[in-house]
């Protein structure tokens, strides 16, 4: 979030650790179940259905974009089949460590592309599936981001932005790729969908697309076209990529000066004679690909159809409850990753009875490590699993952490992420991806962060930015652990910074952190941050003379009468400097 631009007033509450400790055992509510394992890396989100991943690396973060399956899930009333017809936005996540993922909301393609003109074969905008993204830094210091997606099977649209999360705009009033594009598939059995974009070492953009076609060894539906410098116009005619058993899910990479094209294979009958003929004609020795796997080809001249060499399979069918396959190969901080989708979240939720047993198939994004020999452009076969990848770095709690950043969660639903910007263009989830989100948490809901490194000196206090009414606990190690710090949120309408002093010796080292709401109605959590202890410093508790003092019980009910209370209560008062404060009293 751009918190420096956040105009809501913030009252700062300082609660002492000594007084807070007395209330740690008050709320022992059982927390919600998880449907992504608390030690699993996959899927990347424990609450958002998303598919068809693409990604880019920018300023030390990996940004991942995907088809918004959850939009269809909500439109269906959380039941029924995924028909894809209500997918009209693109989901955005990012991470710095490959374990804790920040949800940035969605890009509202329906709104952005509402002005697309109709033509004889399609009535303007329809849906947004299978995005592909890239970016460049220009000589004048500006940065441009380009996001392509397919409008069902009819063509490819493009959005542009100056940051990886927007604001996005449609630079055209129609599709970039359509049936009238030179060299593209014509109206019939072949489709112009599933774009894959890259910018090569010379700064030239290339776009692959196409799919479906006859169920044969050579459907001839795969295409690639050069883009003009604007990245929003084609430069010449598209040409074929002679991709064996091609079906869909086109993506592009440039590795050591070579162009690497990946795609999903079709369901055609595999015939040894056909494959042996293909191998002999193309001078290769690899085996034929199975159905619905991710295969790849390499070229040093993408505009020459005969330059593409089939290299084999690198991504098997992921299983995990899904009936299709779509992936992206991404290099991030020097290592390669295989991003793909499965349906493990849906399967676990269905088995637990929290969604309709006939619900399906709503997909989730997953990631596993990939091994690539850059010299030979060879990709070893990836093994998809729920374990995923380990954290490549620790999370720094002394930097402001968004509430939408989590490794997994329980009791958090997609629509409980709420946009708090007063900018009308980003006023609700479903509009432009945003920094301005908060997480709505009901009693029993929780989020988890992994590899949170409090260092050797530890934290002296923890700040929670929230509004609503309820108790928020930070727990270490496991979700059922005793609270290590407790916040009593009593600001129904105003986003407020609550700060609690803690014992630095108990807030050291690397920990798994759970943030849980354990009582009352609901809390909207915006962000949190630890304040590092200063070595050898004395942390005095302020001895303020209270004015305008009011007492509340831990449920937020006003207590009348100075002595009409027992146990722990909350005193709200104004100090000598006119600052509103709150503290626990015995």
């Amino acid at each position: 979030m751009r918190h420096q631009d956040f105009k809501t007033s913030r009252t700062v509450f300082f609660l002492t650790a000594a007084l807070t400790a007395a209330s740690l055992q008050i709320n022992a509510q059982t927390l919600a179940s998880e449907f992504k394992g608390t030690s699993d890396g996959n899927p990347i989100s424990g609450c958002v259905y998303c598919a068809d991943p693409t990604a880019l690396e920018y300023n030390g973060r990996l940004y991942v974009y995907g088809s918004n399956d959850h939009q269809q899930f909500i439109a269906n009333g959380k039941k029924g089949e995924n028909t894809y017809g209500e997918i009209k936005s693109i989901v955005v996540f990012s991470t710095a460590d490959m374990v804790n993922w920040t949800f940035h909301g969605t890009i509202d393609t329906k709104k952005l592309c509402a002005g697309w003109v109709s033509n004889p074969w399609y009535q303007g905008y329809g849906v947004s599936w299978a995005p592909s993204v890239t970016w460049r830094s220009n000589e004048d210091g500006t940065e441009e981001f380009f996001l392509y997606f397919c409008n069902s099977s009819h063509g490819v649209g493009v959005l542009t932005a100056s940051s990886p999360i927007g604001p996005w705009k449609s630079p055209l009033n129609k599709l970039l790729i359509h049936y009238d594009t030179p060299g593209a598939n014509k109206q019939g059995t072949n489709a112009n969908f599933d774009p894959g974009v890259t910018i090569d070492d010379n700064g030239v953009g290339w776009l692959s697309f196409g799919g479906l076609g006859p169920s044969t060894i050579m459907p001839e539906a795969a295409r690639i076209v050069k883009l003009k410098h604007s990245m929003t116009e084609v430069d010449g005619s598209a040409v074929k990529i002679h991709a064996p058993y091609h079906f869909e899910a086109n993506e592009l990479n440039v590795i050591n000066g070579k162009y690497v094209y990946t795609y999903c294979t079709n369901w055609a009958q595999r015939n040894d004679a056909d494959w042996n003929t293909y191998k002999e004609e193309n001078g290769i020795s690899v085996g034929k690909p199975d159905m619905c796997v991710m295969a790849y080809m390499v070229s040093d001249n993408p505009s020459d159809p005969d330059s593409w060499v089939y290299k084999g399979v690198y991504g098997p069918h992921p299983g995990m409850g899904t009936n299709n396959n779509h992936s992206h190969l991404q290099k991030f901080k020097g290592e390669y990753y295989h991003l793909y989708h499965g349906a493990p979240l849906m399967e676990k939720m269905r088995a637990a009875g929290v969604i309709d047993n006939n619900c399906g198939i709503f997909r989730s994004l997953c990631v596993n490590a990939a091994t690539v020999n850059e010299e030979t452009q060879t990709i070893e076969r990836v093994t998809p699993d729920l374990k995923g990848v380990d954290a490549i770095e620790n999370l720094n709690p002394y930097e402001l952490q968004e509430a939408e950043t989590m490794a997994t969660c329980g009791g958090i639903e997609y629509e409980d992420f709420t946009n708090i910007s007063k900018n009308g263009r980003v006023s609700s989830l479903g509009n432009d991806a945003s920094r301005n989100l908060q997480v709505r948490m009901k009693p029993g809901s929780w989020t988890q962060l992994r590899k949170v490194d409090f260092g050797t000196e530890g934290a002296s206090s923890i700040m929670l930015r929230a509004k609503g009414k309820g108790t928020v606990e930070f727990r270490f190690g496991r979700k059922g652990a005793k609270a290590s710090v407790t916040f009593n949120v009593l600001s129904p309408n105003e986003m407020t910074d609550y700060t609690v002093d803690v014992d630095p010796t108990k807030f050291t080292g690397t920990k798994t952190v759970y943030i849980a709401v354990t009582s009352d109605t609901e809390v909207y959590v915006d962000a949190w941050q630890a304040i590092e202890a200063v070595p050898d410093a004395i942390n005095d508790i302020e001895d303020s003379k209270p004015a305008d003092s009011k007492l509340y019980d831990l449920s937020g009910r006003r207590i009348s009468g100075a002595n009409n209370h027992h146990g722990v209560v909350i005193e709200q008062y104004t100090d000598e400097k006119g600052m509103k404060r709150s503290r626990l009293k015995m």
Side-chain angles (χ1 to χ4, degrees):
M1 300 181 186
R2 290 176 177 165
H3 291 283
Q4 63 269 29
D5 299 329
F6 186 30
K7 302 300 184 183
T8 304
S9 62
R10 301 187 182 111
T11 305
V12 181
F13 287 67
F14 288 96
L15 308 181
T16 70
L19 294 174
T20 302
S23 68
L24 297 184
Q25 305 306 316
I26 291 176
N27 300 301
Q29 176 173 335
T30 301
L31 300 186
S33 299
E34 70 270 9
F35 300 103
K36 170 186 174 179
T38 52
S39 61
D40 288 339
N42 285 326
I44 67 173
S45 173
C47 59
V48 177
Y49 293 132
C50 190
D52 307 324
T54 188
L56 60 82
E57 180 176 4
Y58 178 73
N59 281 357
R61 295 191 70 83
L62 179 67
Y63 288 83
V64 176
Y65 307 74
S67 303
N68 192 358
D69 274 23
H70 218 108
Q71 190 169 21
Q72 182 74 58
F73 179 67
I74 298 301
N76 282 9
K78 304 181 183 181
K79 59 185 178 181
E81 289 297 321
N82 187 355
T83 60
Y84 313 121
E86 295 300 323
I87 298 177
K88 302 177 187 293
S89 58
I90 294 168
V91 174
V92 187
F93 289 94
S94 75
T95 185
D97 56 29
M98 299 302 295
V99 169
N100 298 297
W101 294 85
T102 302
F103 175 57
H104 294 286
T106 61
I107 303 169
D108 188 352
T109 53
K110 180 181 179 180
K111 177 181 177 181
L112 295 173
C113 305
W116 282 5
V117 297
S118 301
N119 54 57
W121 50 268
Y122 202 80
Q123 297 297 310
Y125 171 85
V127 292
S128 52
W129 303 342
S132 185
V133 68
T134 192
W135 74 285
R136 70 182 175 201
S137 181
N138 298 316
E139 291 182 358
D140 61 2
T142 60
E143 295 173 338
E144 294 180 288
F145 295 79
F146 305 94
L147 183 66
Y148 304 81
F149 64 90
C150 62
N151 189 24
S152 184
S153 62
H154 297 277
V156 174
V158 58
L159 303 176
T160 60
S162 58
S163 89
I165 60 171
W168 296 89
K169 65 180 180 179
S170 175
L172 307 176
N173 67 349
K174 60 181 179 180
L175 292 168
L176 169 64
I177 303 293
H178 47 75
Y179 289 131
D180 297 328
T181 300
N185 290 302
K186 300 306 177 184
Q187 195 166 3
T189 59
N190 295 1
N192 294 309
F193 71 169
D194 285 15
V197 68
T198 193
I199 297 176
D200 67 21
D201 297 338
N202 298 314
V204 177
W206 298 88
L207 188 72
S208 58
F209 61 92
L212 304 182
S215 187
T216 64
I217 186 175
M218 195 56 65
E220 297 286 38
R223 298 288 189 274
I224 189 168
V225 67
K226 185 180 179 182
L227 298 175
K228 292 184 178 180
H229 181 73
S230 67
M231 298 291 287
T232 61
E233 299 175 88
V234 299
D235 187 1
S237 178
V239 299
K240 294 179 180 179
I241 299 176
H242 301 303
Y245 298 112
H246 174 268
F247 187 66
E248 61 182 359
N250 314 283
E251 274 279 31
L252 287 172
N253 282 277
V254 175
I255 300 177
N256 195 27
K258 302 286 187 178
Y259 302 84
V260 179
Y261 167 67
T262 61
Y263 65 95
C264 178
T265 61
N266 63 15
W267 281 263
Q269 183 67 37
R270 296 331 192 228
N271 183 287
D272 287 341
D274 290 342
W275 187 251
N276 289 335
T277 299
Y278 176 81
K279 288 198 301 180
E280 184 176 350
E281 290 176 347
N282 290 275
I284 61 174
S285 59
V286 295
K288 60 179 178 292
D290 293 331
M291 299 177 184
C292 200
V293 297
M294 299 306 302
Y296 71 109
M297 304 183 76
V298 175
S299 169
D300 57 6
N301 182 8
S303 60
D304 178 4
D306 296 325
S307 69
W308 290 96
V309 178
Y310 179 79
K311 299 274 284 188
V313 172
Y314 84 95
H317 188 283
M320 299 185 180
T322 188
N323 59 355
N324 54 26
N325 206 350
H326 196 120
S327 75
H328 175 67
L329 182 69
Q330 178 68 41
K331 191 175 185 180
F332 177 56
K333 295 184 178 179
E335 301 293 334
Y336 281 93
Y337 297 94
H338 172 61
L339 292 149
Y340 61 98
H341 66 232
L345 186 64
M346 178 213 68
E347 282 200 317
K348 289 187 176 181
M349 294 182 73
R350 192 167 56 185
V354 298
I355 60 174
D356 190 278
N357 191 51
N358 295 319
C359 186
I361 296 172
F362 296 94
R363 301 158 294 179
S364 297
L365 296 185
C366 301
V367 59
N368 284 91
T371 301
V372 177
N373 184 323
E374 293 186 333
E375 292 298 318
T376 61
Q377 298 83 43
T378 302
I379 314 170
E380 293 187 13
R381 194 179 182 98
V382 178
T383 303
D385 58 30
L386 291 178
K387 181 179 182 300
V389 298
D390 295 327
I392 60 175
E393 61 184 55
N394 291 340
L395 184 144
N396 182 2
Y398 303 112
E399 295 177 351
L400 191 71
Q401 298 296 331
E402 313 299 342
E404 315 85 77
T405 300
M406 60 190 78
T408 188
C409 60
I412 303 295
E413 295 187 23
Y414 180 86
E415 60 268 39
D416 287 341
F417 289 89
T418 304
N419 200 306
I420 60 175
S421 172
K422 294 183 179 180
N423 184 333
R425 292 175 299 172
V426 288
S427 60
S428 64
L429 189 69
N431 286 330
D432 277 354
S434 176
R435 293 183 177 91
N436 299 315
L437 295 178
Q438 58 186 351
V439 181
R440 180 187 180 199
M441 301 180 71
K442 300 176 182 179
S445 61
W446 54 273
T447 63
Q448 181 214 57
L449 298 106
R450 300 176 191 166
K451 295 288 185 178
V452 181
D453 188 0
F454 288 95
T456 57
E457 300 298 336
S460 61
S461 58
I462 307 292
M463 182 278 291
L464 179 76
R465 184 166 297 157
K467 71 176 182 178
K469 182 180 177 182
T471 302
V472 181
E473 297 181 355
F474 278 51
R475 302 177 177 187
F476 292 158
R478 55 188 180 86
K479 68 178 186 180
K482 294 180 180 179
S484 293
V485 60
T486 299
F487 298 88
N488 294 289
V489 178
L490 290 171
S491 48
N493 302 312
E494 183 178 275
M495 191 60 68
T496 301
D497 287 359
Y498 294 83
T499 300
V500 175
D501 294 332
V502 297
D503 180 354
T505 64
K506 297 180 179 179
F507 281 75
T508 59
T510 302
K511 301 181 183 299
T512 299
V513 175
Y514 291 84
I515 303 175
V517 172
T518 58
S519 71
D520 233 314
T521 54
E522 62 184 16
V523 177
Y524 290 82
V525 182
D526 180 28
W528 68 277
Q529 185 174 10
I531 293 83
E532 192 166 11
V534 178
D536 302 323
I538 299 175
N539 297 307
D540 292 327
I541 297 174
E542 180 182 359
D543 184 16
S544 300
K545 295 181 180 180
D548 190 28
S549 176
K550 298 181 178 66
L551 297 180
Y552 298 84
D553 65 20
L554 294 180
S555 296
R557 293 185 292 269
R558 175 78 182 275
I559 300 172
S560 59
N563 299 312
N564 188 23
H565 69 272
H566 301 281
V568 180
V569 297
I570 301 168
E571 180 186 25
Q572 293 187 353
Y573 64 97
T574 302
D575 68 14
E576 293 175 321
K577 297 179 181 179
M579 177 69 72
K580 292 183 178 180
R581 297 186 181 275
S582 178
R583 60 188 176 192
L584 296 179
K585 295 188 68 175
M586 299 293 289

